[in-house]
Amino acid sequence: MQQEHPLTGEEITVDVAIVGSGASGLSAAVRARALGLDPLVVDVADRFGGTVPLSSGALWIPDNPVMRAAGVADSAEAGLHYLEECVGDAGPVTSPVRKAAFVREGPRLVDFLVRHGVAFQYSDPYPDYFPELPGGHERGRIILPRPFDLRRLGSWSEKVATVPGFKMKLLFNSVREVMDLPFAPVAPQGRRALASVLTRTLWSRARGRDEVSLGQALVAHMLLVAQRLGVRFAPRTAMRDLVVEDGRVVGLTVTADGRTRTVRTRRGVILAAGGFARNDEMRGRYHPQPSSARWTTVGPHDAGDGIRAALDVGAATALMDEAVWTPVSVLPDGSVAGTVWERETPYCIMVNGDGDRFCNESANYMEIGRRMYAQESASWWLIMDSRHRRRYPFGDALPGRAPREWLRSGYLRRAGSVEELATLCGLPPERLRATVERFNKMADAGVDEDFGRARSSYDRAGGDPGHRPDPNLGALREGPFYAVQQFPGDTGTAGGLLTDEHARVVAEDGSVIAGLYAAGSTAARVTGRVYPGGGASLATAMVFGFIAANHAAGRGSAEG
């Protein structure tokens, strides 16, 4: 970024200091600047966006204007009713007033960003995660950023965090395309998705564009707004402590280039530094066990710095034992891969260390993670038959391929019978055989009597669109059989600082800590222990970053 580092002296004074450049930090920064404030964004990383570039970039926002423009009916009342039904009120973090603030301000955030040039599109269809509940939406409430040509950012393009492991920037236009792509070998929907993505990507390259999509596109759109508004950034700058005077947070100390400096603030500090997914000490203290920073999919700087600093000044926390859990596997090289379509498709089940099924394998990831932790045994496996391996990719392994290193290392276990596979995995052979036989009978009948797999439209949306009679259920009969060990990973922590409806941090005695705000994974989630729909993490982060900036500017709504 061709911009002089703003921390040239021992002290600087700004209106608002924002710690972190992820979804909530960028949202707070551009909103504060648009309201006439002088914000400064500090981030320990060299590139901006936090974990957002690793995500789909999706935003789950009820009754948003992009939906309305696409002719999709929704209402704030339906969205709030849905949140009340699936989230409930488990305490102050999920209070009615906080949920109402999210639903009210979400469409205002989108309106604001669209007015400043952020291009969104409605992603259809992708149902809410509990569409059968009152207020649930069968088509979904997700919007995505449109692909972005990085050339528009000039030298700032180098500051958009990259996605490791991807040599070619595939351009997606919807969550549906992402979900359908793994089924290209077996279903027309998959082949159409592959053709659309490849055509769009190759056409972009042929025209000399440097386009990105999904999470990278969201960061790039937001950085362009920040660039146009004149938001200042301080990269490679680590937060140390908050500065408190007369009971009010008036700034923070930071470390940059080996020197400690002070950033003083007139309107407040907004903590948007992520959660503590990469902090094993905090995971050991707060999370159910086993828990490991090796199992998370978030970026490397999610170390709990913002939460730690706020705790030092008396902040209260909530939901510290919770995360956005997701089943993952640990590859031979130590990297982590989320288990998504691999468990949602036919010809597979998940079992615990006793060889028993324990969940609806096609349910949303957070629900399955919670089910994993509800088991007495700390061992979980995805069991598949040969049809599963013939039809579907597994991670980056194409259908029908079993990489030698996977087999040699034991990451992928293969056996001629269910009983032999059980022995390889340390499971009771007869118990696993009985589990498979019971599941096979239910799959043949098309009804999962134990966990209701394939009953919800959400389940069916993630399954194999080319499989009949339904996309999720298929018996495990054809050998060889395969297994991959699963772990309760996460896409970020869900617990953090307790905040009110204005994103102000609450103290342990219930009072508000003047001058201190928190949003994103630094704050406990308004959705509590439930994930209502794809894109809820980024949406709540951006909305409460927006709310924090409004309050810091003395604005109670999103006017202007």
Side-chain angles (χ1 to χ4, degrees):
M1 181 179 297
Q2 300 302 312
Q3 179 189 51
E4 183 181 354
H5 197 293
L7 303 181
T8 55
E10 294 301 316
E11 184 173 299
I12 183 175
T13 299
V14 297
D15 288 325
V16 181
I18 300 166
V19 184
S21 65
S24 54
L26 290 174
S27 176
V30 298
R31 179 58 178 170
R33 187 69 185 125
L35 291 176
L37 299 185
D38 174 26
L40 173 68
V41 181
V42 302
D43 197 298
V44 68
D46 183 49
R47 292 173 178 262
F48 298 129
T51 299
V52 178
L54 304 177
S55 74
S56 67
L59 304 179
W60 183 86
I61 298 181
D63 194 32
N64 67 75
V66 180
M67 287 180 68
R68 292 195 295 270
V72 181
D74 195 15
S75 69
E77 292 76 17
L80 187 56
H81 193 186
Y82 174 68
L83 284 178
E84 290 170 345
E85 290 290 330
C86 68
V87 173
D89 184 7
V93 69
T94 57
S95 66
V97 69
R98 290 196 82 232
K99 293 197 293 286
F102 167 67
V103 173
R104 180 185 65 250
E105 298 299 325
R108 293 173 176 174
L109 164 71
V110 177
D111 269 331
F112 165 74
L113 293 178
V114 169
R115 289 200 308 272
H116 282 80
V118 179
F120 289 107
Q121 55 198 338
Y122 177 58
S123 185
D124 176 38
Y126 189 60
D128 288 347
Y129 283 2
F130 306 95
E132 68 281 357
L133 291 179
H137 207 292
E138 291 283 344
R139 290 182 66 177
R141 295 170 160 121
I142 290 179
I143 61 174
L144 281 181
R146 292 190 181 277
F148 185 97
D149 187 350
L150 291 176
R151 296 178 304 170
R152 298 171 64 192
L153 284 171
S155 61
W156 283 41
S157 65
E158 298 177 359
K159 288 300 177 180
V160 178
T162 58
V163 180
F166 287 86
K167 296 180 180 179
M168 186 176 184
K169 299 172 184 174
L170 295 177
L171 299 180
F172 293 91
N173 258 350
S174 69
V175 173
R176 187 71 258 169
E177 285 184 340
V178 177
M179 295 178 66
D180 285 344
L181 195 61
F183 305 112
V186 296
Q189 294 95 320
R191 289 188 284 275
R192 285 196 294 269
L194 178 62
S196 295
V197 171
L198 287 180
T199 299
R200 186 180 306 120
T201 302
L202 294 174
W203 176 245
S204 173
R205 294 181 67 180
R207 299 181 70 181
R209 296 175 178 173
D210 186 17
E211 287 187 293
V212 292
S213 63
L214 305 178
Q216 283 187 293
L218 181 60
V219 173
H221 278 288
M222 296 297 291
L223 282 179
L224 183 60
V225 177
Q227 185 185 61
R228 289 171 172 170
L229 291 174
V231 174
R232 291 187 294 167
F233 290 82
R236 305 177 303 281
T237 302
M239 177 185 183
R240 290 173 57 90
D241 300 292
L242 294 168
V243 178
V244 180
E245 294 178 358
D246 298 324
R248 180 182 182 84
V249 173
V250 295
L252 67 156
T253 58
V254 299
T255 301
D257 300 326
R259 297 170 57 190
T260 298
R261 297 175 171 89
T262 299
V263 179
R264 300 188 67 85
T265 59
R266 305 180 188 93
R267 300 295 187 98
V269 173
I270 300 175
L271 298 176
F276 57 93
R278 289 288 181 181
N279 188 319
D280 269 323
E281 187 277 327
M282 293 182 72
R283 295 182 74 109
R285 188 192 321 167
Y286 297 114
H287 277 181
Q289 298 301 310
S291 176
S292 174
R294 294 185 301 116
W295 302 341
T296 187
T297 63
V298 305
H301 301 296
D302 202 76
D305 294 342
I307 296 173
R308 172 196 54 76
L311 287 174
D312 288 344
V313 299
T317 60
L319 302 175
M320 292 293 280
D321 61 334
E322 197 64 83
V324 183
W325 309 112
T326 185
V328 300
S329 62
V330 180
L331 291 154
D333 63 3
S335 62
V336 169
T339 306
V340 186
W341 67 83
E342 296 92 341
R343 60 174 168 78
E344 297 178 333
T345 45
Y347 316 121
C348 74
I349 57 174
M350 288 184 71
V351 300
N352 59 22
D354 295 325
D356 297 328
R357 284 182 74 215
F358 61 91
C359 67
N360 165 12
E361 294 87 351
S362 299
N364 78 75
Y365 35 88
M366 189 167 179
E367 289 300 302
I368 292 182
R370 289 173 57 80
R371 288 273 189 170
M372 292 172 80
Y373 273 126
Q375 306 305 300
E376 292 185 1
S377 64
S379 177
W380 309 272
W381 295 86
L382 180 67
I383 308 295
M384 305 157 279
D385 80 353
S386 62
R387 287 176 294 182
H388 188 285
R389 288 301 305 118
R390 286 201 305 268
R391 288 179 65 87
Y392 315 120
F394 195 99
D396 59 2
L398 296 175
R401 290 189 63 246
R404 292 181 181 178
E405 178 59 24
W406 288 13
L407 293 168
R408 184 167 50 247
S409 66
Y411 168 77
L412 179 65
R413 308 191 186 192
R414 179 174 62 188
S417 68
V418 169
E419 291 85 353
E420 183 184 352
L421 186 68
T423 299
L424 290 177
C425 299
L427 304 173
E430 294 305 319
R431 190 75 164 263
L432 183 61
R433 166 53 66 186
T435 295
V436 170
E437 289 178 348
R438 174 169 175 76
F439 176 78
N440 287 351
K441 290 178 182 178
M442 294 188 295
D444 290 342
V447 179
D448 179 6
E449 298 174 0
D450 294 337
F451 299 102
R453 185 174 176 184
R455 188 177 301 161
S456 169
S457 60
Y458 171 78
D459 295 2
R460 296 189 293 275
D464 177 358
H467 186 266
R468 300 292 182 268
D470 71 68
N472 306 112
L473 294 173
L476 285 72
R477 287 202 175 91
E478 294 188 11
F481 298 90
Y482 297 85
V484 173
Q485 190 169 13
Q486 301 294 296
F487 300 92
D490 63 79
T491 61
T493 49
L497 304 176
L498 179 61
T499 58
D500 68 3
E501 69 273 21
H502 303 297
R504 297 178 298 182
V505 176
V506 176
E508 290 181 340
D509 64 4
S511 64
V512 170
I513 299 177
L516 186 61
Y517 303 84
S521 295
T522 306
R525 293 175 188 257
V526 68
T527 55
R529 300 184 184 277
V530 175
Y531 208 77
S537 290
L538 291 184
T540 55
M542 294 189 73
V543 169
F544 278 97
F546 180 75
I547 289 172
N550 283 335
H551 192 274
R555 304 288 289 270
S557 70
E559 298 176 3

